PDB file of all heavy atoms in Angstrom:
ATOM      1  N   GLY A 129     -12.735 -10.425 -31.670  1.00  0.00           N
ATOM      2  CA  GLY A 129     -11.837  -9.389 -31.174  1.00  0.00           C
ATOM      3  C   GLY A 129     -11.983  -9.091 -29.705  1.00  0.00           C
ATOM      4  O   GLY A 129     -10.962  -8.966 -29.000  1.00  0.00           O
ATOM      5  N   ASP A 130     -13.194  -9.095 -29.233  1.00  0.00           N
ATOM      6  CA  ASP A 130     -13.429  -8.857 -27.789  1.00  0.00           C
ATOM      7  C   ASP A 130     -12.880 -10.012 -26.965  1.00  0.00           C
ATOM      8  O   ASP A 130     -12.318  -9.809 -25.891  1.00  0.00           O
ATOM      9  CB  ASP A 130     -14.901  -8.684 -27.509  1.00  0.00           C
ATOM     10  CG  ASP A 130     -15.469  -7.342 -28.058  1.00  0.00           C
ATOM     11  OD1 ASP A 130     -14.677  -6.467 -28.441  1.00  0.00           O
ATOM     12  OD2 ASP A 130     -16.698  -7.208 -28.091  1.00  0.00           O
ATOM     13  N   PHE A 131     -12.994 -11.236 -27.434  1.00  0.00           N
ATOM     14  CA  PHE A 131     -12.555 -12.413 -26.744  1.00  0.00           C
ATOM     15  C   PHE A 131     -11.013 -12.366 -26.652  1.00  0.00           C
ATOM     16  O   PHE A 131     -10.423 -12.595 -25.558  1.00  0.00           O
ATOM     17  CB  PHE A 131     -12.974 -13.712 -27.407  1.00  0.00           C
ATOM     18  CG  PHE A 131     -12.416 -14.934 -26.750  1.00  0.00           C
ATOM     19  CD1 PHE A 131     -12.901 -15.369 -25.538  1.00  0.00           C
ATOM     20  CD2 PHE A 131     -11.435 -15.681 -27.366  1.00  0.00           C
ATOM     21  CE1 PHE A 131     -12.356 -16.519 -24.934  1.00  0.00           C
ATOM     22  CE2 PHE A 131     -10.903 -16.783 -26.810  1.00  0.00           C
ATOM     23  CZ  PHE A 131     -11.387 -17.223 -25.553  1.00  0.00           C
ATOM     24  N   ILE A 132     -10.306 -12.101 -27.713  1.00  0.00           N
ATOM     25  CA  ILE A 132      -8.837 -12.031 -27.670  1.00  0.00           C
ATOM     26  C   ILE A 132      -8.412 -10.907 -26.688  1.00  0.00           C
ATOM     27  O   ILE A 132      -7.521 -11.160 -25.883  1.00  0.00           O
ATOM     28  CB  ILE A 132      -8.276 -11.815 -29.089  1.00  0.00           C
ATOM     29  CG1 ILE A 132      -8.545 -13.039 -29.955  1.00  0.00           C
ATOM     30  CG2 ILE A 132      -6.814 -11.456 -29.035  1.00  0.00           C
ATOM     31  CD1 ILE A 132      -8.202 -12.824 -31.452  1.00  0.00           C
ATOM     32  N   ASP A 133      -9.042  -9.769 -26.812  1.00  0.00           N
ATOM     33  CA  ASP A 133      -8.664  -8.648 -25.897  1.00  0.00           C
ATOM     34  C   ASP A 133      -8.861  -9.041 -24.419  1.00  0.00           C
ATOM     35  O   ASP A 133      -7.989  -8.813 -23.631  1.00  0.00           O
ATOM     36  CB  ASP A 133      -9.482  -7.409 -26.223  1.00  0.00           C
ATOM     37  CG  ASP A 133      -9.154  -6.813 -27.600  1.00  0.00           C
ATOM     38  OD1 ASP A 133      -8.074  -7.154 -28.161  1.00  0.00           O
ATOM     39  OD2 ASP A 133     -10.011  -6.021 -28.116  1.00  0.00           O
ATOM     40  N   LEU A 134      -9.999  -9.609 -24.097  1.00  0.00           N
ATOM     41  CA  LEU A 134     -10.276  -9.990 -22.706  1.00  0.00           C
ATOM     42  C   LEU A 134      -9.363 -11.121 -22.243  1.00  0.00           C
ATOM     43  O   LEU A 134      -8.797 -11.050 -21.152  1.00  0.00           O
ATOM     44  CB  LEU A 134     -11.753 -10.495 -22.635  1.00  0.00           C
ATOM     45  CG  LEU A 134     -12.217 -10.955 -21.258  1.00  0.00           C
ATOM     46  CD1 LEU A 134     -12.181  -9.733 -20.266  1.00  0.00           C
ATOM     47  CD2 LEU A 134     -13.614 -11.527 -21.326  1.00  0.00           C
ATOM     48  N   PHE A 135      -9.180 -12.129 -23.088  1.00  0.00           N
ATOM     49  CA  PHE A 135      -8.298 -13.246 -22.756  1.00  0.00           C
ATOM     50  C   PHE A 135      -6.854 -12.842 -22.498  1.00  0.00           C
ATOM     51  O   PHE A 135      -6.191 -13.345 -21.598  1.00  0.00           O
ATOM     52  CB  PHE A 135      -8.365 -14.272 -23.895  1.00  0.00           C
ATOM     53  CG  PHE A 135      -8.007 -15.671 -23.571  1.00  0.00           C
ATOM     54  CD1 PHE A 135      -8.056 -16.638 -24.559  1.00  0.00           C
ATOM     55  CD2 PHE A 135      -7.628 -16.120 -22.307  1.00  0.00           C
ATOM     56  CE1 PHE A 135      -7.762 -17.985 -24.320  1.00  0.00           C
ATOM     57  CE2 PHE A 135      -7.290 -17.438 -22.038  1.00  0.00           C
ATOM     58  CZ  PHE A 135      -7.385 -18.381 -23.046  1.00  0.00           C
ATOM     59  N   CYS A 136      -6.412 -11.859 -23.285  1.00  0.00           N
ATOM     60  CA  CYS A 136      -5.008 -11.439 -23.195  1.00  0.00           C
ATOM     61  C   CYS A 136      -4.834 -10.186 -22.321  1.00  0.00           C
ATOM     62  O   CYS A 136      -3.697  -9.689 -22.187  1.00  0.00           O
ATOM     63  CB  CYS A 136      -4.461 -11.200 -24.586  1.00  0.00           C
ATOM     64  SG  CYS A 136      -4.435 -12.652 -25.611  1.00  0.00           S
ATOM     65  N   GLY A 137      -5.902  -9.690 -21.728  1.00  0.00           N
ATOM     66  CA  GLY A 137      -5.828  -8.575 -20.845  1.00  0.00           C
ATOM     67  C   GLY A 137      -5.470  -7.257 -21.579  1.00  0.00           C
ATOM     68  O   GLY A 137      -4.766  -6.344 -21.047  1.00  0.00           O
ATOM     69  N   SER A 138      -5.930  -7.179 -22.814  1.00  0.00           N
ATOM     70  CA  SER A 138      -5.623  -5.994 -23.652  1.00  0.00           C
ATOM     71  C   SER A 138      -6.822  -5.038 -23.660  1.00  0.00           C
ATOM     72  O   SER A 138      -7.972  -5.462 -23.394  1.00  0.00           O
ATOM     73  CB  SER A 138      -5.348  -6.429 -25.089  1.00  0.00           C
ATOM     74  OG  SER A 138      -4.267  -7.332 -25.132  1.00  0.00           O
ATOM     75  N   PRO A 139      -6.568  -3.789 -23.982  1.00  0.00           N
ATOM     76  CA  PRO A 139      -7.724  -2.847 -24.120  1.00  0.00           C
ATOM     77  C   PRO A 139      -8.626  -3.279 -25.262  1.00  0.00           C
ATOM     78  O   PRO A 139      -8.181  -3.829 -26.229  1.00  0.00           O
ATOM     79  CB  PRO A 139      -7.074  -1.491 -24.391  1.00  0.00           C
ATOM     80  CG  PRO A 139      -5.628  -1.713 -24.429  1.00  0.00           C
ATOM     81  CD  PRO A 139      -5.323  -3.146 -24.251  1.00  0.00           C
ATOM     82  N   ARG A 140      -9.943  -2.992 -25.077  1.00  0.00           N
ATOM     83  CA  ARG A 140     -10.866  -3.341 -26.130  1.00  0.00           C
ATOM     84  C   ARG A 140     -10.508  -2.679 -27.444  1.00  0.00           C
ATOM     85  O   ARG A 140     -10.131  -1.540 -27.466  1.00  0.00           O
ATOM     86  CB  ARG A 140     -12.268  -2.959 -25.724  1.00  0.00           C
ATOM     87  CG  ARG A 140     -13.335  -3.496 -26.629  1.00  0.00           C
ATOM     88  CD  ARG A 140     -14.714  -3.342 -26.068  1.00  0.00           C
ATOM     89  NE  ARG A 140     -15.629  -4.135 -26.823  1.00  0.00           N
ATOM     90  CZ  ARG A 140     -16.884  -3.953 -26.930  1.00  0.00           C
ATOM     91  NH1 ARG A 140     -17.433  -2.974 -26.188  1.00  0.00           N
ATOM     92  NH2 ARG A 140     -17.659  -4.687 -27.668  1.00  0.00           N
ATOM     93  N   GLY A 141     -10.532  -3.489 -28.493  1.00  0.00           N
ATOM     94  CA  GLY A 141     -10.165  -3.017 -29.813  1.00  0.00           C
ATOM     95  C   GLY A 141      -8.687  -3.164 -30.160  1.00  0.00           C
ATOM     96  O   GLY A 141      -8.229  -2.761 -31.283  1.00  0.00           O
ATOM     97  N   ALA A 142      -7.893  -3.728 -29.273  1.00  0.00           N
ATOM     98  CA  ALA A 142      -6.471  -3.857 -29.506  1.00  0.00           C
ATOM     99  C   ALA A 142      -6.141  -4.871 -30.597  1.00  0.00           C
ATOM    100  O   ALA A 142      -5.098  -4.794 -31.225  1.00  0.00           O
ATOM    101  CB  ALA A 142      -5.757  -4.221 -28.247  1.00  0.00           C
ATOM    102  N   HIS A 143      -6.990  -5.872 -30.804  1.00  0.00           N
ATOM    103  CA  HIS A 143      -6.740  -6.923 -31.771  1.00  0.00           C
ATOM    104  C   HIS A 143      -7.814  -7.034 -32.814  1.00  0.00           C
ATOM    105  O   HIS A 143      -8.730  -7.890 -32.668  1.00  0.00           O
ATOM    106  CB  HIS A 143      -6.507  -8.278 -31.026  1.00  0.00           C
ATOM    107  CG  HIS A 143      -5.426  -8.219 -30.048  1.00  0.00           C
ATOM    108  ND1 HIS A 143      -5.614  -8.051 -28.704  1.00  0.00           N
ATOM    109  CD2 HIS A 143      -4.079  -8.259 -30.239  1.00  0.00           C
ATOM    110  CE1 HIS A 143      -4.443  -8.039 -28.096  1.00  0.00           C
ATOM    111  NE2 HIS A 143      -3.471  -8.119 -29.004  1.00  0.00           N
ATOM    112  N   PRO A 144      -7.774  -6.206 -33.829  1.00  0.00           N
ATOM    113  CA  PRO A 144      -8.832  -6.279 -34.849  1.00  0.00           C
ATOM    114  C   PRO A 144      -8.736  -7.572 -35.605  1.00  0.00           C
ATOM    115  O   PRO A 144      -7.626  -8.059 -35.901  1.00  0.00           O
ATOM    116  CB  PRO A 144      -8.543  -5.073 -35.742  1.00  0.00           C
ATOM    117  CG  PRO A 144      -7.119  -4.744 -35.531  1.00  0.00           C
ATOM    118  CD  PRO A 144      -6.797  -5.174 -34.138  1.00  0.00           C
ATOM    119  N   ILE A 153      -3.759 -18.190 -29.156  1.00  0.00           N
ATOM    120  CA  ILE A 153      -3.569 -17.796 -27.746  1.00  0.00           C
ATOM    121  C   ILE A 153      -3.182 -19.052 -26.984  1.00  0.00           C
ATOM    122  O   ILE A 153      -3.811 -20.092 -27.120  1.00  0.00           O
ATOM    123  CB  ILE A 153      -4.881 -17.179 -27.154  1.00  0.00           C
ATOM    124  CG1 ILE A 153      -5.296 -15.971 -28.007  1.00  0.00           C
ATOM    125  CG2 ILE A 153      -4.647 -16.830 -25.736  1.00  0.00           C
ATOM    126  CD1 ILE A 153      -6.706 -15.492 -27.701  1.00  0.00           C
ATOM    127  N   SER A 160      -9.854 -14.523 -17.929  1.00  0.00           N
ATOM    128  CA  SER A 160      -9.536 -13.161 -18.296  1.00  0.00           C
ATOM    129  C   SER A 160      -8.099 -12.799 -17.910  1.00  0.00           C
ATOM    130  O   SER A 160      -7.646 -13.089 -16.838  1.00  0.00           O
ATOM    131  CB  SER A 160     -10.524 -12.235 -17.602  1.00  0.00           C
ATOM    132  OG  SER A 160     -10.234 -10.895 -17.945  1.00  0.00           O
ATOM    133  N   ALA A 161      -7.394 -12.226 -18.912  1.00  0.00           N
ATOM    134  CA  ALA A 161      -6.017 -11.731 -18.734  1.00  0.00           C
ATOM    135  C   ALA A 161      -5.018 -12.844 -18.479  1.00  0.00           C
ATOM    136  O   ALA A 161      -3.903 -12.582 -18.029  1.00  0.00           O
ATOM    137  CB  ALA A 161      -5.925 -10.634 -17.666  1.00  0.00           C
ATOM    138  N   CYS A 162      -5.365 -14.098 -18.752  1.00  0.00           N
ATOM    139  CA  CYS A 162      -4.431 -15.197 -18.544  1.00  0.00           C
ATOM    140  C   CYS A 162      -3.864 -15.785 -19.809  1.00  0.00           C
ATOM    141  O   CYS A 162      -3.046 -16.714 -19.746  1.00  0.00           O
ATOM    142  CB  CYS A 162      -5.118 -16.289 -17.744  1.00  0.00           C
ATOM    143  SG  CYS A 162      -5.493 -15.847 -16.025  1.00  0.00           S
ATOM    144  N   GLY A 163      -4.290 -15.277 -20.954  1.00  0.00           N
ATOM    145  CA  GLY A 163      -3.815 -15.833 -22.223  1.00  0.00           C
ATOM    146  C   GLY A 163      -2.671 -14.989 -22.782  1.00  0.00           C
ATOM    147  O   GLY A 163      -2.536 -13.803 -22.495  1.00  0.00           O
ATOM    148  N   GLU A 164      -1.806 -15.638 -23.580  1.00  0.00           N
ATOM    149  CA  GLU A 164      -0.716 -14.955 -24.275  1.00  0.00           C
ATOM    150  C   GLU A 164      -0.936 -15.098 -25.715  1.00  0.00           C
ATOM    151  O   GLU A 164      -0.969 -16.224 -26.246  1.00  0.00           O
ATOM    152  CB  GLU A 164       0.588 -15.545 -23.812  1.00  0.00           C
ATOM    153  CG  GLU A 164       1.775 -14.813 -24.414  1.00  0.00           C
ATOM    154  CD  GLU A 164       3.152 -15.294 -23.960  1.00  0.00           C
ATOM    155  OE1 GLU A 164       3.188 -15.908 -22.906  1.00  0.00           O
ATOM    156  OE2 GLU A 164       4.094 -15.084 -24.715  1.00  0.00           O
ATOM    157  N   LEU A 165      -1.089 -14.015 -26.417  1.00  0.00           N
ATOM    158  CA  LEU A 165      -1.236 -14.003 -27.856  1.00  0.00           C
ATOM    159  C   LEU A 165       0.106 -14.382 -28.514  1.00  0.00           C
ATOM    160  O   LEU A 165       1.088 -13.645 -28.358  1.00  0.00           O
ATOM    161  CB  LEU A 165      -1.727 -12.675 -28.397  1.00  0.00           C
ATOM    162  CG  LEU A 165      -1.952 -12.547 -29.882  1.00  0.00           C
ATOM    163  CD1 LEU A 165      -3.112 -13.474 -30.345  1.00  0.00           C
ATOM    164  CD2 LEU A 165      -2.264 -11.106 -30.289  1.00  0.00           C
TER     165      LEU A 165
END
Side-chain angles (χ1 to χ4, degrees):
D130 291 347
F131 176 73
I132 292 170
D133 293 341
L134 181 64
F135 202 178
C136 297
S138 303
R140 189 167 192 202
H143 300 100
I153 302 168
S160 180
C162 290
E164 183 175 337
L165 181 65

